[in-house]
Amino acid sequence: MPEPSHRLRWAPIPATSLNIELSLTSGQVFRWTRNAGGAWLGAVGDIGAYIVPAERGFWWATYPPDRWNVVEAFFSLQVDVESLYREWVRSDRRFAELIDLFRGLRILRQPPESALCSFICSSCNNVPRISGMVGSLARLVARQLAVPWFEELRADPTLVDLARVQERALRDAGFGYRARYLAQLGRLACSGLTPDIEGLERFGWSEARAALMALPGVGAKVADCVGLFAYGRHDVVPVDTHVRRYVVARFRPDLATRSLTPRVYDALAAEFRGIMGPYAGWAQQYAYMAARSGVAIASLQGGTG
DNA sequence: TGTCGACCTGCCATA
DNA sequence: CTGTACAGGTCGACC
């Protein structure tokens, strides 16, 4: 594969501030790939991106060229993680361990419509399979980008793109019961029956969240993922099975046996947000990774130390 | 409000 | 190698 070496730009953002591999493989985005040379390839909306990590920074290229603002926004580089780390350790001393493990992990800012599609696919699912589905979805419905240094790169899909495929084709491609949600969403979008997903970002979160939850296949968890990963709502805490396990073990053992009703969901999110503060959504990603990777939750039990 | 089962499929760990 | 439990949930029907 030809590499855009003559176009590469340098960004002096150290790996301690942005761990590219960790951020791209932490279950936020599912379509980035790494080539043999260690470069990461992916799309951000309609923009192709090429990222080569290094210790003291990273090399980057986009197509169309030189879209630094896209790279900067995607990696949320305006957020100073070092100051977050200092705050988190003050809020919860045991976060020091998670920061050591996952230093440089950032919340990525994705186009909301494709984030919606991805997290509809994520329900009751595992990351390898989600990646396969999200890749298939892009191949089935999204526009091919004419990026010279990719053999094949699809744009991030939009909701109207979804109407290009029948539910049956999605089922044949292995989407299972999520096929119905996606096909239905595409029909609604083409009929003008979905809200302006991009525009919802400017609404209050409770209003935007309710609008998202009215869409097929979108419950509290998926809506919260759109809030955190697409709208830049840093304080929104999606409560999945891992985060639930973490918060229950760490702070709310009284909720251990309760089923995850909307009330319990909100209580867990509120508990975590109350402790971790306005960037609780970012902190959630660290807790998620810890719980998912089997870092001894037991060792995290008992008080807020 | 809270509980239950259905919805699809494949990964992963253990028999 | 065949069998389970489970995986970044949501929805509708009943208490």
Side-chain angles (χ1 to χ4, degrees):
Chain A
M1 177 179 306
E3 298 195 358
S5 49
H6 58 296
R7 295 172 185 275
L8 288 178
R9 308 277 192 225
W10 174 250
I13 314 290
T16 51
S17 173
L18 167 61
N19 185 327
I20 291 164
E21 171 172 7
L22 185 56
S23 299
L24 291 175
T25 60
S26 62
Q28 303 182 58
V29 292
F30 303 93
R31 220 154 56 81
W32 282 71
T33 57
R34 183 167 44 187
N35 73 11
W40 287 93
L41 319 167
V44 181
D46 291 338
I47 308 294
Y50 184 104
I51 310 283
V52 185
E55 199 54 38
R56 297 162 181 276
F58 62 90
W59 298 95
W60 64 275
T62 61
Y63 191 86
D66 299 331
R67 299 293 184 88
W68 169 249
N69 59 329
V70 170
V71 174
E72 184 180 33
F74 178 65
F75 288 116
S76 303
L77 294 180
Q78 82 285 3
V79 173
D80 175 11
V81 287
E82 294 301 336
S83 71
L84 291 185
Y85 293 161
R86 286 192 291 275
E87 242 177 84
W88 291 348
V89 173
R90 278 200 295 273
S91 305
D92 176 1
R93 284 199 171 281
R94 298 192 193 182
F95 235 80
E97 181 190 353
L98 302 190
I99 293 165
D100 278 346
L101 285 170
F102 306 116
R103 186 178 298 279
L105 171 60
R106 280 171 179 274
I107 296 299
L108 304 170
R109 183 93 178 245
Q110 318 171 34
E113 297 196 0
S114 80
L116 192 53
C117 298
S118 296
F119 287 101
I120 285 173
C121 292
S122 79
S123 90
C124 219
N125 211 343
N126 51 64
V127 171
R129 186 172 170 216
I130 298 167
S131 302
M133 287 164 57
V134 170
S136 297
L137 188 65
R139 276 192 301 281
L140 285 168
V141 308
R143 194 161 72 74
Q144 171 86 34
L145 296 180
V147 178
W149 21 278
F150 290 91
E151 312 239 332
E152 148 117 10
L153 180 65
R154 299 284 174 161
D156 280 324
T158 65
L159 294 195
V160 293
D161 284 341
L162 294 176
R164 294 211 179 97
V165 68
Q166 297 290 317
E167 175 178 342
R168 180 55 197 272
L170 289 171
R171 284 188 181 271
D172 291 344
F175 283 74
Y177 60 82
R178 304 153 197 92
R180 179 159 39 88
Y181 298 145
L182 294 172
Q184 202 175 342
L185 197 48
R187 283 196 301 274
L188 290 173
C190 284
S191 308
L193 296 174
T194 52
D196 173 9
I197 305 293
E198 305 262 350
L200 281 180
E201 182 176 331
R202 294 184 292 276
F203 284 61
W205 173 236
S206 62
E207 197 175 342
R209 187 179 196 249
L212 291 170
M213 287 177 66
L215 300 172
V218 183
K221 195 276 179 175
V222 172
D224 285 349
C225 284
V226 174
L228 177 62
F229 298 129
Y231 292 159
R233 290 270 167 178
H234 307 301
D235 61 326
V236 169
V237 179
V239 180
D240 61 43
T241 176
H242 297 301
V243 170
R244 176 193 185 189
R245 226 155 31 87
Y246 182 90
V247 179
V248 164
R250 189 81 183 80
F251 305 117
R252 293 298 299 266
D254 58 305
L255 296 179
T257 59
R258 300 279 299 277
S259 56
L260 193 60
T261 62
R263 269 196 131 71
V264 173
Y265 182 106
D266 290 341
L268 292 173
E271 180 76 30
F272 193 75
R273 182 163 44 249
I275 292 166
M276 301 310 296
Y279 281 76
W282 284 57
Q284 165 275 155
Q285 197 66 18
Y286 288 68
Y288 163 76
M289 290 297 285
R292 197 185 104 185
S293 63
V295 171
I297 299 258
S299 77
L300 297 169
Q301 280 175 348
T304 55

